[in-house]
Amino acid sequence: MADLVEWAADLVEPKLRGWLHASMVPASLSAGIVLVCLARTQQAALAYYVHSVTAWLLFGTSAVYHLGATARPSCVASTTPTLF
C-alpha cells in the first residue's frame, strides 16, 4: 500500500506544482503592474519592474518544466523533444 501511495504522489506532485506555478504568472504580472504604478520614485519603479519580470520568468519556466509535454498542444508535443 505504501508503494502505491508513493507512486501516486510521484505522479501527481510535479503536475500540481506546474499548474500552481502557471497560475502564479498572471498573479505576479498583476502585482507587478500595481507595484510599478504605486512606486514613489523612478528607482523604486525600476526595482519593482525587475522583480516582477524575474518572477514571471521564474514561475513561467517552472510551470513549463513541471508540466512538460502534457500542457503542449499535440502538434507541438509530437515535434519537440522533452528533457524528461
Side-chain angles (χ1 to χ4, degrees):
M1 183 67 169
D3 293 334
L4 181 61
V5 172
E6 288 180 24
W7 175 78
D10 290 340
L11 185 64
V12 172
E13 186 177 334
K15 303 283 188 251
L16 181 59
R17 185 178 298 133
W19 284 112
L20 289 172
H21 287 181
S23 67
M24 286 305 298
V25 173
S28 64
L29 171 65
S30 57
I33 291 171
V34 169
L35 286 173
V36 169
C37 290
L38 295 178
R40 295 185 181 194
T41 64
Q42 288 184 346
Q43 291 86 4
L46 178 62
Y48 292 145
Y49 176 75
V50 169
H51 182 270
S52 179
V53 169
T54 56
W56 306 335
L57 292 172
L58 171 91
F59 287 121
T61 303
S62 180
V64 169
Y65 175 77
H66 287 293
L67 290 174
T70 59
R72 298 180 192 157
S74 60
C75 61
V76 175
S78 64
T79 58
T80 56
T82 58
L83 297 176
F84 45 92

